[in-house]
Amino acid sequence: MAAIKPFKAVRPREDIAGRVAALPYDVYNREEALAEVLKEPFSFLKIDRAETQFAEDFNPYDAKVYEKARDILQKMISEGIFIKESKDCYYIYELTMNGRSQAGLVGCASIDDYLHNVIKKHEKTREEKEIDRINHVDSCNAQTGPIFLAYRSQKTINDIVEKIKREKPIYDFIAPDRIKHTVWKIANETDIEKLEREFRKIESVYIADGHHRTASAVKVGLKRREANPNYTGEEEFNFFLSVLFPHDQLMILDYNRVVKDLNGYTKEEFLNAVSQSFLIENIGQDPYKPTEKAAFGMYLEGVWYKLTAKKEIRSDDPVEGLDVSLLQNYLLTPILKIKDIRTDKRIDFVGGIRGLKELERRVNSDMKVAFAMYPTSINELLNVSDAGQLMPPKSTWFEPKLRSGLFIHELD
Protein backbone atom coordinates (compact mmCIF):
# COMPACT_ATOMS: atom_id res chain seq x y z
CA MET A 1 0.00 0.00 0.00
CA ALA A 2 1.31 3.46 -0.89
CA ALA A 3 2.64 5.68 1.89
CA ILE A 4 2.30 9.28 0.69
CA LYS A 5 2.95 11.79 3.45
CA PRO A 6 2.55 15.56 3.79
CA PHE A 7 5.69 17.62 4.37
CA LYS A 8 6.99 21.03 5.46
CA ALA A 9 7.70 22.52 2.06
CA VAL A 10 10.22 25.17 1.23
CA ARG A 11 8.54 27.16 -1.54
CA PRO A 12 8.79 30.53 -3.29
CA ARG A 13 6.89 33.63 -2.24
CA GLU A 14 3.62 33.97 -4.10
CA ASP A 15 4.64 37.15 -5.91
CA ILE A 16 7.76 35.57 -7.39
CA ALA A 17 6.75 31.93 -7.94
CA GLY A 18 6.32 32.32 -11.69
CA ARG A 19 9.85 33.67 -12.05
CA VAL A 20 11.40 30.95 -9.86
CA ALA A 21 9.63 27.96 -11.45
CA ALA A 22 11.83 26.29 -14.08
CA LEU A 23 11.56 23.38 -16.46
CA PRO A 24 13.39 20.21 -15.34
CA TYR A 25 17.18 20.38 -15.37
CA ASP A 26 17.54 17.67 -18.01
CA VAL A 27 15.55 19.35 -20.78
CA TYR A 28 18.38 21.87 -21.33
CA ASN A 29 21.91 21.52 -22.60
CA ARG A 30 24.53 23.66 -20.89
CA GLU A 31 24.30 26.53 -23.36
CA GLU A 32 20.50 26.65 -23.10
CA ALA A 33 20.62 26.50 -19.30
CA LEU A 34 23.03 29.44 -19.16
CA ALA A 35 20.83 31.50 -21.50
CA GLU A 36 17.80 30.77 -19.32
CA VAL A 37 19.58 31.83 -16.13
CA LEU A 38 20.85 35.04 -17.74
CA LYS A 39 17.33 35.82 -18.95
CA GLU A 40 15.70 35.17 -15.54
CA PRO A 41 17.97 35.72 -12.50
CA PHE A 42 15.43 34.13 -10.13
CA SER A 43 15.14 30.94 -12.19
CA PHE A 44 15.51 27.79 -10.14
CA LEU A 45 17.68 26.47 -12.92
CA LYS A 46 20.67 28.22 -11.36
CA ILE A 47 20.28 25.76 -8.47
CA ASP A 48 19.41 22.71 -10.55
CA ARG A 49 22.20 23.50 -13.02
CA ALA A 50 24.71 25.37 -10.85
CA GLU A 51 27.47 24.95 -13.45
CA THR A 52 25.87 28.01 -15.05
CA GLN A 53 27.62 30.00 -12.31
CA PHE A 54 31.08 28.91 -13.53
CA ALA A 55 33.18 29.36 -16.64
CA GLU A 56 32.01 27.49 -19.71
CA ASP A 57 34.85 24.96 -19.54
CA PHE A 58 34.39 24.21 -15.81
CA ASN A 59 33.58 20.55 -15.05
CA PRO A 60 29.81 20.45 -14.37
CA TYR A 61 30.29 17.49 -12.04
CA ASP A 62 32.96 19.07 -9.86
CA ALA A 63 32.15 19.13 -6.13
CA LYS A 64 32.23 22.93 -6.23
CA VAL A 65 29.19 22.92 -8.53
CA TYR A 66 27.06 21.06 -6.00
CA GLU A 67 28.36 23.26 -3.18
CA LYS A 68 27.36 26.30 -5.24
CA ALA A 69 23.85 24.87 -5.66
CA ARG A 70 23.56 24.50 -1.88
CA ASP A 71 24.87 28.02 -1.26
CA ILE A 72 22.47 29.62 -3.77
CA LEU A 73 19.52 27.75 -2.25
CA GLN A 74 20.43 28.85 1.28
CA LYS A 75 20.97 32.43 0.12
CA MET A 76 17.54 32.54 -1.54
CA ILE A 77 15.97 31.19 1.64
CA SER A 78 17.77 33.77 3.80
CA GLU A 79 16.70 36.55 1.44
CA GLY A 80 13.06 35.54 1.75
CA ILE A 81 12.69 34.43 -1.86
CA PHE A 82 11.75 31.03 -0.45
CA ILE A 83 9.63 30.55 2.64
CA LYS A 84 9.42 27.52 4.93
CA GLU A 85 6.10 26.03 5.97
CA SER A 86 5.63 25.62 9.72
CA LYS A 87 3.51 22.45 9.43
CA ASP A 88 3.15 19.41 7.22
CA CYS A 89 0.86 20.01 4.25
CA TYR A 90 -0.13 18.50 0.95
CA TYR A 91 -0.57 20.58 -2.19
CA ILE A 92 -2.54 20.26 -5.40
CA TYR A 93 -0.56 21.16 -8.50
CA GLU A 94 -2.59 21.72 -11.66
CA LEU A 95 -1.05 22.26 -15.09
CA THR A 96 -3.14 23.49 -18.01
CA MET A 97 -1.93 23.27 -21.62
CA ASN A 98 -4.07 24.12 -24.65
CA GLY A 99 -7.19 24.11 -22.48
CA ARG A 100 -6.48 20.65 -21.04
CA SER A 101 -5.75 20.30 -17.32
CA GLN A 102 -4.24 17.67 -15.03
CA ALA A 103 -4.17 18.03 -11.25
CA GLY A 104 -1.82 16.04 -9.02
CA LEU A 105 -1.23 15.72 -5.30
CA VAL A 106 2.15 16.97 -4.07
CA GLY A 107 3.52 14.90 -1.20
CA CYS A 108 6.43 12.66 -0.29
CA ALA A 109 6.60 9.00 -1.33
CA SER A 110 8.43 6.30 0.62
CA ILE A 111 11.77 4.90 -0.47
CA ASP A 112 10.62 1.57 1.01
CA ASP A 113 7.68 1.55 -1.39
CA TYR A 114 10.21 1.92 -4.23
CA LEU A 115 12.41 -0.85 -2.83
CA HIS A 116 9.41 -3.17 -2.34
CA ASN A 117 7.94 -2.45 -5.80
CA VAL A 118 4.82 -0.65 -4.59
CA ILE A 119 6.24 2.18 -6.70
CA LYS A 120 6.76 0.50 -10.05
CA LYS A 121 9.20 1.42 -12.79
CA HIS A 122 9.26 0.84 -16.53
CA GLU A 123 12.74 2.07 -17.52
CA LYS A 124 16.34 1.17 -16.79
CA THR A 125 18.53 3.81 -15.18
CA ARG A 126 22.16 4.63 -15.91
CA GLU A 127 24.56 4.96 -12.99
CA GLU A 128 26.39 8.00 -14.38
CA LYS A 129 23.12 9.94 -14.59
CA GLU A 130 22.16 8.89 -11.06
CA ILE A 131 25.45 10.06 -9.57
CA ASP A 132 24.88 13.66 -10.66
CA ARG A 133 21.53 13.90 -8.85
CA ILE A 134 22.80 11.95 -5.84
CA ASN A 135 25.52 14.56 -5.39
CA HIS A 136 23.03 17.39 -5.95
CA VAL A 137 20.47 16.10 -3.43
CA ASP A 138 23.15 15.21 -0.89
CA SER A 139 24.90 18.58 -1.12
CA CYS A 140 21.70 20.63 -1.04
CA ASN A 141 20.26 18.41 1.70
CA ALA A 142 17.04 18.69 -0.27
CA GLN A 143 15.12 17.28 -3.21
CA THR A 144 14.50 20.07 -5.67
CA GLY A 145 12.76 18.37 -8.59
CA PRO A 146 9.51 16.44 -7.99
CA ILE A 147 9.07 12.92 -9.33
CA PHE A 148 6.14 12.52 -11.73
CA LEU A 149 4.06 9.58 -10.42
CA ALA A 150 0.74 8.12 -11.58
CA TYR A 151 -1.91 5.98 -9.91
CA ARG A 152 -5.14 4.43 -11.11
CA SER A 153 -7.78 7.09 -10.64
CA GLN A 154 -9.80 6.89 -7.40
CA LYS A 155 -13.11 8.74 -6.99
CA THR A 156 -12.61 9.49 -3.28
CA ILE A 157 -9.28 11.20 -3.94
CA ASN A 158 -10.69 13.01 -6.98
CA ASP A 159 -13.56 14.37 -4.89
CA ILE A 160 -11.19 15.78 -2.25
CA VAL A 161 -9.04 17.37 -4.94
CA GLU A 162 -12.06 18.98 -6.61
CA LYS A 163 -13.25 20.34 -3.26
CA ILE A 164 -9.87 21.93 -2.50
CA LYS A 165 -9.72 23.44 -6.01
CA ARG A 166 -12.75 25.58 -5.14
CA GLU A 167 -10.58 27.43 -2.62
CA LYS A 168 -8.20 30.30 -3.37
CA PRO A 169 -4.88 29.06 -4.82
CA ILE A 170 -1.50 30.07 -3.42
CA TYR A 171 0.03 30.20 -6.92
CA ASP A 172 -1.65 30.95 -10.23
CA PHE A 173 0.55 32.02 -13.14
CA ILE A 174 1.18 31.41 -16.82
CA ALA A 175 4.75 30.49 -17.74
CA PRO A 176 6.51 31.88 -20.83
CA ASP A 177 5.62 28.69 -22.76
CA ARG A 178 1.91 29.43 -22.08
CA ILE A 179 1.45 26.57 -19.61
CA LYS A 180 -0.74 27.64 -16.70
CA HIS A 181 0.36 26.56 -13.22
CA THR A 182 -2.04 26.65 -10.27
CA VAL A 183 -1.30 25.42 -6.75
CA TRP A 184 -3.55 25.00 -3.70
CA LYS A 185 -2.36 24.18 -0.19
CA ILE A 186 -4.05 21.44 1.85
CA ALA A 187 -3.56 22.30 5.52
CA ASN A 188 -6.82 21.00 6.99
CA GLU A 189 -6.05 18.01 9.23
CA THR A 190 -9.19 16.12 8.25
CA ASP A 191 -8.36 16.39 4.55
CA ILE A 192 -4.74 15.42 5.17
CA GLU A 193 -5.69 12.34 7.19
CA LYS A 194 -8.28 11.27 4.62
CA LEU A 195 -5.85 11.60 1.71
CA GLU A 196 -3.13 9.72 3.56
CA ARG A 197 -5.63 6.96 4.37
CA GLU A 198 -6.96 6.75 0.81
CA PHE A 199 -3.48 6.42 -0.67
CA ARG A 200 -2.74 3.56 1.71
CA LYS A 201 -5.54 1.68 -0.07
CA ILE A 202 -3.74 2.00 -3.42
CA GLU A 203 -1.73 -1.12 -4.25
CA SER A 204 0.56 0.33 -6.93
CA VAL A 205 1.99 3.70 -7.89
CA TYR A 206 3.87 4.15 -11.17
CA ILE A 207 6.84 6.29 -12.17
CA ALA A 208 5.64 8.22 -15.20
CA ASP A 209 8.73 10.39 -15.57
CA GLY A 210 11.86 10.78 -13.47
CA HIS A 211 13.38 7.29 -13.10
CA HIS A 212 16.90 8.64 -12.54
CA ARG A 213 15.78 11.23 -9.98
CA THR A 214 13.80 8.55 -8.13
CA ALA A 215 16.73 6.12 -8.03
CA SER A 216 19.01 8.94 -6.86
CA ALA A 217 16.63 10.00 -4.08
CA VAL A 218 16.36 6.41 -2.88
CA LYS A 219 20.15 5.96 -2.85
CA VAL A 220 20.60 9.16 -0.85
CA GLY A 221 18.04 7.85 1.65
CA LEU A 222 19.85 4.51 1.94
CA LYS A 223 23.16 6.31 2.39
CA ARG A 224 21.70 8.33 5.26
CA ARG A 225 20.19 5.23 6.83
CA GLU A 226 23.66 3.71 6.84
CA ALA A 227 25.04 6.82 8.52
CA ASN A 228 22.18 6.74 11.06
CA PRO A 229 21.80 3.07 12.08
CA ASN A 230 19.18 3.97 14.70
CA TYR A 231 16.86 5.56 12.15
CA THR A 232 13.12 5.09 12.76
CA GLY A 233 11.87 5.30 9.18
CA GLU A 234 10.05 8.56 9.89
CA GLU A 235 13.00 10.82 9.07
CA GLU A 236 12.58 12.98 5.98
CA PHE A 237 15.41 11.20 4.16
CA ASN A 238 13.16 8.14 4.00
CA PHE A 239 10.86 9.95 1.58
CA PHE A 240 11.14 11.77 -1.74
CA LEU A 241 9.27 14.68 -3.31
CA SER A 242 6.53 13.59 -5.74
CA VAL A 243 3.49 14.76 -7.64
CA LEU A 244 0.90 12.00 -8.06
CA PHE A 245 -1.64 12.20 -10.88
CA PRO A 246 -4.69 10.01 -11.60
CA HIS A 247 -3.89 8.05 -14.74
CA ASP A 248 -6.94 9.22 -16.69
CA GLN A 249 -5.78 12.85 -16.63
CA LEU A 250 -2.38 12.21 -18.19
CA MET A 251 -1.37 12.69 -21.79
CA ILE A 252 1.58 10.97 -23.45
CA LEU A 253 2.83 12.44 -26.70
CA ASP A 254 4.61 10.63 -29.49
CA TYR A 255 8.38 10.19 -29.15
CA ASN A 256 9.63 10.22 -32.72
CA ARG A 257 12.83 8.90 -34.30
CA VAL A 258 15.24 10.32 -36.90
CA VAL A 259 18.10 8.32 -38.44
CA LYS A 260 21.24 9.56 -40.23
CA ASP A 261 21.45 7.03 -43.07
CA LEU A 262 19.86 3.98 -44.70
CA ASN A 263 22.70 1.62 -43.73
CA GLY A 264 23.98 1.48 -47.31
CA TYR A 265 20.61 0.77 -48.93
CA THR A 266 19.33 2.74 -51.88
CA LYS A 267 15.85 4.20 -51.38
CA GLU A 268 14.30 1.40 -53.45
CA GLU A 269 16.21 -1.34 -51.61
CA PHE A 270 15.25 0.16 -48.26
CA LEU A 271 11.55 0.35 -49.12
CA ASN A 272 11.66 -3.25 -50.34
CA ALA A 273 13.24 -4.39 -47.06
CA VAL A 274 10.67 -2.46 -45.01
CA SER A 275 7.82 -4.02 -47.03
CA GLN A 276 8.67 -7.47 -45.64
CA SER A 277 7.10 -6.51 -42.29
CA PHE A 278 5.10 -3.36 -43.04
CA LEU A 279 2.49 -2.36 -45.57
CA ILE A 280 3.66 0.84 -47.29
CA GLU A 281 1.38 3.60 -48.58
CA ASN A 282 2.75 6.67 -50.38
CA ILE A 283 1.04 9.70 -48.79
CA GLY A 284 2.88 12.41 -50.72
CA GLN A 285 4.21 15.70 -49.37
CA ASP A 286 1.55 16.25 -46.69
CA PRO A 287 2.83 15.16 -43.25
CA TYR A 288 1.29 11.93 -41.99
CA LYS A 289 0.58 11.61 -38.25
CA PRO A 290 -0.46 8.10 -37.16
CA THR A 291 -3.99 7.86 -35.76
CA GLU A 292 -3.95 4.25 -34.54
CA LYS A 293 -1.67 1.62 -33.06
CA ALA A 294 0.74 -0.25 -35.32
CA ALA A 295 0.79 2.65 -37.81
CA PHE A 296 3.86 4.83 -38.43
CA GLY A 297 4.62 7.90 -40.47
CA MET A 298 7.89 7.81 -42.42
CA TYR A 299 9.50 10.81 -44.11
CA LEU A 300 12.14 9.99 -46.74
CA GLU A 301 13.51 12.16 -49.54
CA GLY A 302 10.69 14.68 -49.37
CA VAL A 303 7.88 12.10 -49.33
CA TRP A 304 5.67 10.89 -46.46
CA TYR A 305 4.69 7.24 -46.22
CA LYS A 306 2.29 5.38 -43.97
CA LEU A 307 3.72 2.14 -42.59
CA THR A 308 1.33 -0.41 -41.10
CA ALA A 309 2.71 -3.36 -39.19
CA LYS A 310 1.58 -6.64 -40.73
CA LYS A 311 -0.56 -8.84 -38.49
CA GLU A 312 2.09 -11.54 -38.22
CA ILE A 313 4.53 -9.24 -36.39
CA ARG A 314 2.03 -7.85 -33.88
CA SER A 315 1.99 -9.19 -30.34
CA ASP A 316 -0.20 -9.21 -27.23
CA ASP A 317 2.87 -9.10 -25.00
CA PRO A 318 2.92 -5.84 -22.97
CA VAL A 319 6.39 -4.90 -24.29
CA GLU A 320 6.68 -6.69 -27.63
CA GLY A 321 3.31 -5.28 -28.68
CA LEU A 322 4.34 -1.65 -28.17
CA ASP A 323 4.72 0.40 -31.33
CA VAL A 324 8.23 1.40 -30.29
CA SER A 325 9.08 -2.33 -30.05
CA LEU A 326 7.60 -3.12 -33.48
CA LEU A 327 9.66 -0.37 -35.11
CA GLN A 328 12.79 -1.41 -33.23
CA ASN A 329 12.49 -5.16 -33.74
CA TYR A 330 11.37 -5.20 -37.37
CA LEU A 331 12.98 -2.10 -38.90
CA LEU A 332 15.62 -0.28 -36.85
CA THR A 333 17.53 -3.38 -35.76
CA PRO A 334 17.30 -5.78 -38.72
CA ILE A 335 17.37 -3.23 -41.55
CA LEU A 336 19.19 -0.15 -40.26
CA LYS A 337 21.37 -2.14 -37.79
CA ILE A 338 20.59 0.20 -34.90
CA LYS A 339 20.70 -2.22 -31.97
CA ASP A 340 21.13 0.00 -28.90
CA ILE A 341 19.30 3.29 -29.27
CA ARG A 342 20.83 4.54 -26.02
CA THR A 343 24.33 4.60 -27.48
CA ASP A 344 24.05 4.54 -31.29
CA LYS A 345 24.98 7.99 -32.63
CA ARG A 346 23.09 7.39 -35.90
CA ILE A 347 19.70 7.83 -34.23
CA ASP A 348 18.15 10.80 -32.46
CA PHE A 349 14.76 11.48 -30.86
CA VAL A 350 12.24 14.28 -31.23
CA GLY A 351 9.46 14.86 -28.70
CA GLY A 352 5.99 15.10 -30.17
CA ILE A 353 5.56 18.58 -28.72
CA ARG A 354 7.79 19.81 -31.57
CA GLY A 355 5.51 18.53 -34.32
CA LEU A 356 6.06 16.79 -37.65
CA LYS A 357 7.61 19.86 -39.26
CA GLU A 358 10.60 19.32 -36.97
CA LEU A 359 10.99 15.82 -38.40
CA GLU A 360 10.99 17.28 -41.89
CA ARG A 361 13.53 19.90 -40.86
CA ARG A 362 15.88 17.28 -39.40
CA VAL A 363 15.67 15.06 -42.49
CA ASN A 364 16.24 18.05 -44.74
CA SER A 365 19.30 19.13 -42.74
CA ASP A 366 21.28 16.46 -40.86
CA MET A 367 19.27 13.21 -41.07
CA LYS A 368 18.06 10.83 -43.78
CA VAL A 369 14.77 9.33 -42.59
CA ALA A 370 12.22 10.09 -39.87
CA PHE A 371 9.59 7.97 -38.16
CA ALA A 372 6.47 9.53 -36.62
CA MET A 373 5.08 7.35 -33.84
CA TYR A 374 1.61 6.75 -32.46
CA PRO A 375 1.87 7.63 -28.75
CA THR A 376 2.32 4.95 -26.12
CA SER A 377 -0.82 5.02 -23.95
CA ILE A 378 -0.87 5.42 -20.18
CA ASN A 379 -2.59 2.02 -19.91
CA GLU A 380 0.26 0.42 -21.85
CA LEU A 381 2.71 1.98 -19.40
CA LEU A 382 0.75 0.63 -16.41
CA ASN A 383 0.50 -2.83 -17.98
CA VAL A 384 4.24 -3.02 -18.63
CA SER A 385 4.98 -1.96 -15.06
CA ASP A 386 2.46 -4.43 -13.60
CA ALA A 387 4.06 -7.22 -15.63
CA GLY A 388 7.43 -6.35 -14.08
CA GLN A 389 8.86 -5.58 -17.51
CA LEU A 390 10.73 -2.60 -18.91
CA MET A 391 9.83 -0.42 -21.85
CA PRO A 392 12.34 0.27 -24.61
CA PRO A 393 14.14 3.60 -24.15
CA LYS A 394 12.40 6.75 -25.40
CA SER A 395 8.94 5.20 -25.29
CA THR A 396 7.06 8.07 -23.65
CA TRP A 397 7.05 11.86 -23.80
CA PHE A 398 4.90 13.51 -21.14
CA GLU A 399 3.54 17.02 -21.51
CA PRO A 400 3.24 19.39 -19.79
CA LYS A 401 6.42 19.12 -17.73
CA LEU A 402 6.40 19.66 -13.96
CA ARG A 403 8.27 22.78 -12.90
CA SER A 404 11.12 22.62 -10.42
CA GLY A 405 11.41 25.14 -7.62
CA LEU A 406 7.76 25.36 -6.60
CA PHE A 407 8.29 22.77 -3.87
CA ILE A 408 11.48 21.76 -2.09
CA HIS A 409 11.71 18.86 0.34
CA GLU A 410 14.43 19.20 2.96
CA LEU A 411 15.93 15.95 4.19
CA ASP A 412 16.15 16.84 7.89
Side-chain angles (χ1 to χ4, degrees):
M1 306 303 155
I4 308 297
K5 71 181 240 14
F7 68 111
K8 294 182 179 68
V10 175
R11 57 183 183 86
R13 291 194 325 254
E14 182 176 355
D15 63 303
I16 208 168
R19 296 180 64 186
V20 170
L23 284 165
Y25 73 97
D26 52 359
V27 306
Y28 298 99
N29 62 33
R30 186 166 183 166
E31 182 181 357
E32 292 167 338
L34 178 59
E36 189 67 23
V37 168
L38 291 174
K39 181 172 65 177
E40 176 49 78
F42 286 115
S43 173
F44 196 78
L45 202 57
K46 68 181 182 182
I47 294 171
D48 263 351
R49 295 287 296 272
E51 72 270 22
T52 57
Q53 309 301 301
F54 295 85
E56 188 177 341
D57 59 350
F58 195 82
N59 180 5
Y61 306 114
D62 190 284
K64 290 185 175 64
V65 172
Y66 303 107
E67 292 166 6
K68 174 63 75 172
R70 177 199 61 210
D71 293 345
I72 296 172
L73 175 58
Q74 292 306 315
K75 185 172 186 288
M76 292 177 78
I77 292 173
S78 67
E79 291 175 344
I81 295 169
F82 286 104
I83 60 175
K84 293 187 178 186
E85 295 281 14
S86 59
K87 62 168 290 184
D88 288 343
C89 299
Y90 287 123
Y91 302 85
I92 296 168
Y93 180 14
E94 182 178 71
L95 301 96
T96 304
M97 182 178 76
N98 299 330
R100 183 184 180 280
S101 296
Q102 59 188 55
L105 183 79
V106 184
C108 289
S110 164
I111 68 171
D112 286 316
D113 281 353
Y114 179 88
L115 295 169
H116 298 147
N117 206 37
V118 173
I119 297 173
K120 296 181 176 180
K121 40 201 138 340
H122 65 265
E123 286 183 6
K124 287 182 179 178
T125 58
R126 292 164 60 184
E127 186 178 11
E128 65 271 22
K129 292 186 70 174
E130 290 179 19
I131 290 171
D132 169 51
R133 287 301 103 177
I134 289 171
N135 290 335
H136 193 275
V137 170
D138 221 7
S139 295
C140 290
N141 193 39
Q143 290 147 1
T144 58
I147 310 303
F148 189 157
L149 300 180
Y151 62 93
R152 285 191 167 85
S153 186
Q154 301 291 326
K155 184 178 185 304
T156 307
I157 296 174
N158 294 343
D159 289 346
I160 298 172
V161 169
E162 289 305 312
K163 183 192 80 168
I164 300 297
K165 284 172 57 179
R166 292 193 287 270
E167 300 175 1
K168 186 178 186 300
I170 59 172
Y171 302 138
D172 191 11
F173 63 89
I174 297 176
D177 60 0
R178 310 309 299 164
I179 307 298
K180 183 180 181 185
H181 302 264
T182 312
V183 174
W184 295 263
K185 182 165 76 170
I186 305 176
N188 178 276
E189 291 296 338
T190 300
D191 290 332
I192 288 174
E193 289 172 7
K194 191 169 186 179
L195 282 166
E196 201 161 5
R197 186 168 62 249
E198 290 302 317
F199 269 100
R200 286 196 177 277
K201 297 177 183 178
I202 293 176
E203 292 186 3
S204 299
V205 172
Y206 306 84
I207 300 174
D209 199 11
H211 283 77
H212 286 93
R213 278 173 285 147
T214 309
S216 301
V218 170
K219 288 181 178 179
V220 170
L222 294 175
K223 178 180 175 183
R224 297 203 173 193
R225 284 182 174 183
E226 190 174 343
N228 298 274
N230 295 321
Y231 75 91
T232 66
E234 298 302 315
E235 298 87 355
E236 293 300 326
F237 59 72
N238 295 288
F239 301 87
F240 57 90
L241 180 64
S242 305
V243 187
L244 299 100
F245 291 90
H247 81 287
D248 53 7
Q249 292 187 19
L250 298 180
M251 179 172 65
I252 302 178
L253 298 185
D254 40 307
Y255 211 163
N256 302 312
R257 278 84 166 122
V258 287
V259 179
K260 278 188 178 294
D261 59 66
L262 297 184
N263 188 37
Y265 286 102
T266 65
K267 174 184 172 181
E268 291 71 25
E269 290 170 339
F270 175 68
L271 290 174
N272 183 61
V274 170
S275 70
Q276 303 306 305
S277 298
F278 300 85
L279 301 174
I280 303 176
E281 179 183 350
N282 187 319
I283 301 297
Q285 294 186 332
D286 292 334
Y288 172 71
K289 186 177 181 65
T291 58
E292 59 187 351
K293 269 187 65 59
F296 308 82
M298 183 174 74
Y299 183 65
L300 174 65
E301 295 187 7
V303 176
W304 280 93
Y305 299 86
K306 177 183 177 181
L307 308 183
T308 304
K310 294 182 177 180
K311 289 184 178 179
E312 56 263 32
I313 73 168
R314 301 188 195 187
S315 171
D316 293 329
D317 181 85
V319 173
E320 297 303 312
L322 295 171
D323 281 13
V324 288
S325 297
L326 293 177
L327 187 73
Q328 184 67 44
N329 295 340
Y330 294 96
L331 197 159
L332 296 180
T333 295
I335 300 174
L336 295 179
K337 303 304 179 188
I338 296 173
K339 298 178 181 179
D340 187 347
I341 63 174
R342 287 188 181 89
T343 59
D344 198 312
K345 303 299 184 186
R346 295 167 55 225
I347 190 168
D348 200 2
F349 306 89
V350 180
I353 192 71
R354 306 193 69 173
L356 298 185
K357 288 296 183 183
E358 176 65 11
L359 298 184
E360 291 185 346
R361 187 192 71 79
R362 291 297 301 274
V363 169
N364 295 334
S365 58
D366 64 325
M367 292 291 179
K368 179 65 176 179
V369 61
F371 301 95
M373 310 295 295
Y374 185 71
T376 303
S377 74
I378 186 64
N379 283 319
E380 286 177 318
L381 184 153
L382 301 186
N383 291 339
V384 169
S385 300
D386 283 339
Q389 298 190 59
L390 299 175
M391 282 187 169
K394 313 295 185 182
S395 293
T396 57
W397 181 281
F398 282 92
E399 286 287 347
K401 303 289 186 188
L402 305 181
R403 292 314 196 260
S404 296
L406 291 178
F407 316 96
I408 298 168
H409 172 228
E410 295 186 309
L411 298 189
D412 55 25

